[in-house]
Amino acid sequence: MNAIDAGYRHIDCAWRYGNERDVGEAVEQKISEGVISRGDMFITTKLWCNFHEKNKVVPLLKDSLKNLKMNYVDLFLIHWPFGFKEEAPSWPKNKGKSAYSDVDITDTWQGMEKAYDLGLARNIGVSNFNKSQIEKLLLVSRTRPVCNQVEVNPNFNNKRLIAYCKSFDIVVVGYCPLGRIESFGRPGVPKPTMLDPKIMKMAKKYNKTSAQVVLNYLVNNLGVAVIPKSITKSRIIENFNIFDFQLEQKDIDYIESTNKNARVCLASYFGDHKDYPFHDEF
Ligand SMILES: NC(=O)C1=CN([C@@H]2O[C@H](COP(=O)(O)OP(=O)(O)OC[C@H]3O[C@@H](n4cnc5c(N)ncnc54)[C@H](OP(=O)(O)O)[C@@H]3O)[C@@H](O)[C@H]2O)C=CC1
Ligand SMILES: O=C1CO[C@H](CO)[C@@H](O)[C@@H]1O
């Protein structure tokens, strides 16, 4: 509700997050208050890994729509390229290969196309797909993926994948745009750039916060859509107010120099899955 009041119109959901009911209720409430109409909103949700078989895609989306109390979503994504067996846990981190399914991503894509044909998803796309996985889909798809939602932040600027996606008019939506501050301290996770003292000092010059500087850089300089998450009303408002300033070139150069090619979101438990996406360079 705070996000809608602040002006957000794109809400990122996933069956796996369990946030569809709350988002559906907030949208319904704001429609009843006359603040928005359904057509103003852009609602994304995602197919979880236990439902990659072609004939499971539409039923899973129908379940998401029931949760959302909507009759369509604006964008439906395959959450990860790797699949799990339906009966496996939804995050089978200690189960090993016995939990994995070997459904081909092109079969799952046919299920996504069916969801599109039925009008249940107005657009279809992917998340966490690497270049060769997108290539594989482009070769067989009737309806092309419009979006790849992947990690993008100054520590992991993902430039080569962004350029590849753009060359096929695939919109990149950047997740963990602020570097998911709560993961800082875990092995291999670098300090989020918004905590860099130089960025904090730079932000003061623009009368902005370091989070706003980072989000402005991602949108204006990397050309991606961003989906910062916050449960804090003041930060929700802060993260929306990023369009009214222009970074100087020397500041852009500094932010670029902080790239470390280091991800926050690795899903490394599944590194031995045949479709794990992050062994390739991009
Ligand atoms: N497709 C995929 O596989 C994935 C998708 N996602 C999507 O991306 C979204 C964002 O990613 P997420 O992992 O949450 O990481 P973010 O980079 O958005 O970081 C979120 C963290 O930053 C804090 N924060 C937010 N705004 C500010 C601010 N202005 N100043 C200081 N701290 C701030 C939040 O705190 P607080 O909430 O306490 O205010 C929270 O701890 C997710 O909600 C999800 O929708 C994420 C990971 C994987
Ligand atoms: O979307 C997501 C949110 O975070 C999870 C835990 O890191 C991810 O695995 C998932 O893809």
Side-chain angles (χ1 to χ4, degrees), residues 166-180:
K166 283 191 179 170
S167 72
F168 288 97
D169 285 332
I170 296 171
V171 173
V172 173
V173 173
Y175 72 64
C176 297
L178 298 172
R180 193 189 268 173

Side-chain angles (χ1 to χ4, degrees), residues 2-179:
N2 286 331
I4 294 173
D5 284 338
Y8 289 69
R9 294 295 178 262
H10 174 201
I11 312 280
D12 187 60
C13 309
W15 185 89
R16 152 93 180 152
Y17 301 160
N19 67 347
E20 293 167 332
R21 282 176 200 276
D22 287 346
V23 169
E25 273 169 28
V27 170
E28 189 177 50
Q29 170 76 29
K30 288 293 157 190
I31 291 174
S32 75
E33 287 174 16
V35 177
I36 47 161
S37 64
R38 171 66 184 90
D40 296 328
M41 298 301 295
F42 192 92
I43 305 293
T44 298
T45 201
K46 313 190 193 85
L47 176 81
W48 189 243
C49 310
N50 300 76
F51 309 97
H52 275 201
E53 277 174 49
K54 192 179 355 190
N55 62 4
K56 299 214 165 104
V57 176
V58 166
L60 195 279
L61 175 55
K62 285 185 175 167
D63 194 47
S64 288
L65 290 170
K66 202 167 122 207
N67 294 336
L68 286 160
K69 295 199 260 184
M70 292 175 187
N71 52 18
Y72 70 91
V73 287
D74 298 276
L75 179 61
F76 188 40
L77 305 176
I78 303 179
H79 202 144
W80 286 92
F82 46 73
F84 306 142
K85 290 178 182 149
E86 185 169 4
E87 62 278 15
S90 60
W91 191 251
K93 63 180 180 186
N94 298 314
K95 300 281 179 194
K97 288 189 175 169
S98 65
Y100 300 167
S101 82
D102 60 2
V103 179
D104 197 272
I105 50 174
T106 57
D107 283 342
T108 310
W109 191 252
Q110 285 178 26
M112 299 293 284
E113 289 178 322
K114 178 86 183 165
Y116 174 81
D117 292 341
L118 291 170
L120 301 173
R122 296 214 166 157
N123 296 280
I124 51 177
V126 295
S127 173
N128 295 304
F129 274 45
N130 64 28
K131 173 177 180 271
S132 70
Q133 290 166 331
I134 290 177
E135 244 161 26
K136 197 170 169 184
L137 287 193
L138 290 176
L139 282 175
V140 299
S141 57
R142 285 187 292 113
T143 307
R144 289 169 43 153
V146 301
C147 165
N148 191 15
Q149 184 184 119
V150 290
E151 180 168 344
V152 187
N153 52 57
N155 280 328
F156 186 77
N157 70 24
N158 221 338
K159 274 192 176 175
R160 282 179 297 175
L161 187 59
I162 294 171
Y164 174 77
C165 288
K166 283 191 179 170
S167 72
F168 288 97
D169 285 332
I170 296 171
V171 173
V172 173
V173 173
Y175 72 64
C176 297
L178 298 172

Side-chain angles (χ1 to χ4, degrees), residues 130-268:
N130 64 28
K131 173 177 180 271
S132 70
Q133 290 166 331
I134 290 177
E135 244 161 26
K136 197 170 169 184
L137 287 193
L138 290 176
L139 282 175
V140 299
S141 57
R142 285 187 292 113
T143 307
R144 289 169 43 153
V146 301
C147 165
N148 191 15
Q149 184 184 119
V150 290
E151 180 168 344
V152 187
N153 52 57
N155 280 328
F156 186 77
N157 70 24
N158 221 338
K159 274 192 176 175
R160 282 179 297 175
L161 187 59
I162 294 171
Y164 174 77
C165 288
K166 283 191 179 170
S167 72
F168 288 97
D169 285 332
I170 296 171
V171 173
V172 173
V173 173
Y175 72 64
C176 297
L178 298 172
R180 193 189 268 173
I181 222 160
E182 66 270 28
S183 296
F184 176 44
R186 288 211 328 241
V189 175
K191 186 175 181 173
T193 305
M194 61 174 280
L195 299 181
D196 176 335
K198 281 195 183 162
I199 303 279
M200 290 174 161
K201 194 171 163 212
M202 179 193 298
K204 284 207 177 103
K205 185 172 71 181
Y206 299 102
N207 209 14
K208 290 284 169 184
T209 65
S210 57
Q212 289 171 319
V213 165
V214 165
L215 295 173
N216 176 292
Y217 163 76
L218 298 176
V219 172
N220 287 343
N221 300 94
L222 296 185
V224 299
V226 288
I227 46 172
K229 167 259 163 191
S230 180
I231 54 167
T232 315
K233 186 176 176 183
S234 59
R235 288 173 173 172
I236 290 173
I237 294 168
E238 177 184 325
N239 295 344
F240 191 74
N241 292 319
I242 58 162
F243 301 104
D244 57 354
F245 68 109
Q246 182 82 43
L247 291 169
E248 290 172 27
Q249 189 57 47
K250 67 174 185 334
D251 294 333
I252 295 167
D253 293 344
Y254 177 72
I255 300 173
E256 300 253 313
S257 78
T258 67
N259 180 47
K260 298 166 191 68
N261 219 19
R263 295 176 191 272
V264 181
C265 191
L266 275 157
S268 47

